[in-house]
Amino acid sequence: MSDTIRLSRRSFLEGLGLVAAGLALELTPTNAAAAMPTAWPPVPEAGFRPNVFVHVAPDGVVTMVCHRSEMGQGVRSSLPVLIADELGADMARVKLVQGDGDTAYGDQNTDGSSSVRKIFDELRYVGATARTMLVAVAARRWGVPASACEARDHAVFHKGSGRTLGFGALANDAAKLAVPKRENVTLRPRSELRHLGKELPLLDGPDLVTGRAKFGADVVLPGMLTAIIQRPPVAGGKVLRHDATRALAVPGVQQVVELPAPTLPFAFQPLGGIAVVATNTWAAMKGSAALDITWDPGDNAVYDSEAYKQELTRVLGAEGKVVREVGDANTALASAPRRLTADYHTPHLAHAPMEPPAAVARFAAGSCEVWACTQNPQAARTEVARALGIDEAQVTVHVTLLGGGFGRKSKPDYVAEAALVSRAVGAPVRVQWTREDDVRHDYYHSTSAQRLTAALDDQGKVLAWHHRIAFPPIGSIFSGATYGGDNELNQGIVDLPLDIPNVRVENGEARAHTRIGWMRSVANIYHAFAVQSFIDELAHARGTDSKAMLLEVLGRPRIVTPKELGVEKVRNYGQSLEQHPIDTARMHHVIERVTALSRWDARQQEGRALGLAAHRSFLAYVAVVVSVVKGEDGVIRVDEAWIVADAGTIINHERVRAQMEGAVVFGLSLGLYGAITMKGGATEQGNFRDYRLARLAEMPRRIHVEIVPSEGPPCGVGEPGVPPVAPALANAVFALTGTRVRELPLVRSVRV
């Protein structure tokens, strides 16, 4: 495979305004071939490299690193454009390189909707630093002040004389300069960032649609074998005995390898089991199916989803750990003329990305080289080193494209599996997860139970809000934790703005019996479902419009402080409240816009009903309206959906719109069908036949998206669209049928 893919479609590049005469954009593939260089740039002997992200060559080619993982969200089409705009580079002369796992790049975990919001200014300084140095060289040559020069169109121009020097002509001299400190670098006015907030094409698009794109399972190395692994059906189980005779008799099967069982806590360790290694995938699958294994299921064999649901409900009957308190909710509830209580339940969920996990490893001479569809190459590097007992410096992790991730591929257990099997067989090995593996051995989104109680006065105004929640936390895989972590509790309950004088939130203890992990929008999924459903119930109980009730509970437009919330500190997704305050005016705005777009005031149409929900997560504000109808067969169908998002400054408008459309699809799948259940500790589902995703015919006939224009700091985008979708759907179902949905998925309550 060649080192670069040349995208020569003029019309494709013209859509971005990137075509210069005779030039085409070059994209370097995601290090998916063994011949790809592991260092970047390959031989930086000429030109200059002011930082780990940018290299300017004497021929004028600017090489940029994308250090985050591409899984369809367009990060490779957005972050380099931001750097190029700040630098003044012509993207038609930019070569893009996918960064290997390396702490030199800072945080590489493509998770938490953080790729833009946490590094927007930092990446601008990356480009501005290179620009400052190029301008300094040009100014020195011309004997003019640097302030009289400007960098644009891949060159430095002298404003007075019109003289020009291309970036390439300045590169070698720029390399001799000291890199300026940040305080000596000035960012451009935003008006000069030509592509900011515009419709940018997906640069990997042509490769994706022509089949040239390289994903984890597409990597092929000389002498590579393929492994399929039988893992313990119950998390924490182990092999008692196995007979590999029949597996080894399958043509193509080379070896059978037993993997070590994990020790608690799970963290990112492989689950253990038996790997069948063969010359091809089919032989490995047939050999794996022929294994005779006796399992010790371990302590988690007691896990039963229905019994655990009842256990969580019992936990809600007792006082939990108080995590938020304002006023005296207990006293207000005891004396209120009217109270409303509702319990809500959500099941475990699987990530189910289009591409199941896959990784290729080559262990030799004490070092390991890996190619993987990973969201977190640094964690993969650490886990491979731990599993092999070698230093991290001996591990190289190359990042391929990802066919979806949703948080699953931030956990590198599958990458460590490939490394262990490669060392055992003495050859490069691809570990391929099947769809059944993916569904049955996931890091599941947590199940939850919530009880909300409100006290109302004689006029129906909410006097008190009491919220209890119990769920096995993500911290269970790292420390055995049984209470929710600060991050989870600050995702829609501790940080929930409420204009209610008495608020109390309690967290009950819940022990995990399987691997729990973060999934797209994390705890916001079950928090938003309960909170937004309960507000709709309050509206119905009072005979008030749901929109009016939601706005009333949120209260007047204001900045909400930790003191008002009744807490000492708000986690705020790792960013300061000064930069990203909790601003109910922004929430009011998205609610007003989504209801206007959906003609909320005219929603009482025969055979059709609307449901509303809104939620702040990952610093963004999102409101959703879902329309449902009932067919002649009595089946409820989603008819239309509207979503309005205020995510602050955005780089790539097209990808943000796509993320919101995808969030509606993702949220509807979870709300309609998503449920993982356990019996005897083992997952009962195994493929899309029993872990349903919403299908094309079940999608809205149209998804309307509006992105609020903003020059505010960037917020998250990939995850915030998901949480309001399921409660908006549930509220619409109630409006249509009178059936209140308090447990997901909807298929358990109504005909869908």
Side-chain angles (χ1 to χ4, degrees), residues 726-746:
L729 173 62
N731 293 338
V733 168
F734 174 76
L736 181 68
T737 67
T739 299
R740 183 60 71 180
V741 176
R742 292 176 174 166
E743 179 179 5
L744 293 179
L746 266 72

Side-chain angles (χ1 to χ4, degrees), residues 498-518:
L498 294 169
D499 189 16
I500 297 172
N502 304 287
V503 177
R504 183 180 174 95
V505 178
E506 301 170 11
N507 179 212
E509 189 172 18
R511 182 190 166 201
H513 294 282
T514 189
R515 297 193 301 180
I516 306 296
W518 47 86

Side-chain angles (χ1 to χ4, degrees), residues 8 83 113 169 191 379 433 476 494 524 540 588 623 626 695:
S8 57
I83 297 173
S113 294
S191 59
W433 284 48
S476 60
V494 168
N524 290 290
H540 179 71
H588 274 253
V626 170
R695 296 166 185 170

Side-chain angles (χ1 to χ4, degrees), residues 13-212:
L13 295 177
E14 283 176 341
L16 185 53
L18 299 182
V19 171
L23 296 175
L25 179 67
E26 287 187 341
L27 290 182
T28 296
T30 52
N31 288 331
M36 288 296 297
T38 58
W40 180 89
V43 187
E45 295 176 351
F48 88 114
R49 180 181 179 180
N51 50 61
V52 296
F53 293 95
V54 175
H55 178 262
V56 182
D59 63 0
V61 172
V62 175
T63 302
M64 293 184 185
V65 168
C66 181
H67 68 305
R68 295 296 181 106
S69 301
E70 177 63 68
M71 46 190 154
Q73 84 281 32
V75 69
R76 281 164 55 93
S77 306
S78 303
L79 299 187
V81 175
L82 179 64
I83 297 173
D85 271 5
E86 191 65 58
L87 171 60
D90 179 355
M91 278 293 290
R93 302 188 68 186
V94 169
K95 185 168 68 174
L96 183 61
V97 172
Q98 183 68 43
D100 292 340
D102 197 317
T103 56
Y105 297 121
D107 180 16
Q108 288 183 273
N109 189 14
T110 313
D111 207 341
S113 294
S114 61
S115 290
V116 173
R117 68 179 175 90
K118 284 191 174 181
I119 55 176
F120 180 80
D121 285 339
E122 283 68 19
L123 289 183
R124 290 187 66 190
Y125 275 105
V126 162
T129 299
R131 168 172 50 81
T132 299
M133 297 173 73
L134 291 168
V135 167
V137 171
R140 183 179 300 174
R141 286 193 192 175
W142 293 326
V144 300
S147 59
C149 304
E150 63 175 334
R152 56 179 170 83
D153 301 326
H154 226 76
V156 177
F157 295 79
H158 180 228
K159 300 173 187 177
S161 66
R163 287 175 290 182
T164 304
L165 285 169
F167 285 173
L170 301 167
N172 285 338
D173 283 350
K176 301 172 185 176
L177 300 180
V179 177
K181 295 181 179 179
R182 179 169 173 150
E183 58 265 28
N184 296 325
V185 174
T186 302
L187 298 179
R188 292 180 184 273
R190 285 203 177 193
S191 59
E192 294 183 12
L193 301 177
R194 296 188 302 159
H195 300 105
L196 187 67
K198 302 294 175 51
E199 297 273 342
L200 308 180
L202 190 64
L203 297 184
D204 295 292
D207 288 346
L208 294 170
V209 299
T210 58
R212 293 194 304 250

Side-chain angles (χ1 to χ4, degrees), residues 406-421:
F406 311 126
R408 169 60 183 99
K409 293 172 185 173
S410 288
K411 299 97 169 172
D413 54 324
Y414 59 101
V415 185
E417 286 177 337
L420 288 167
V421 178

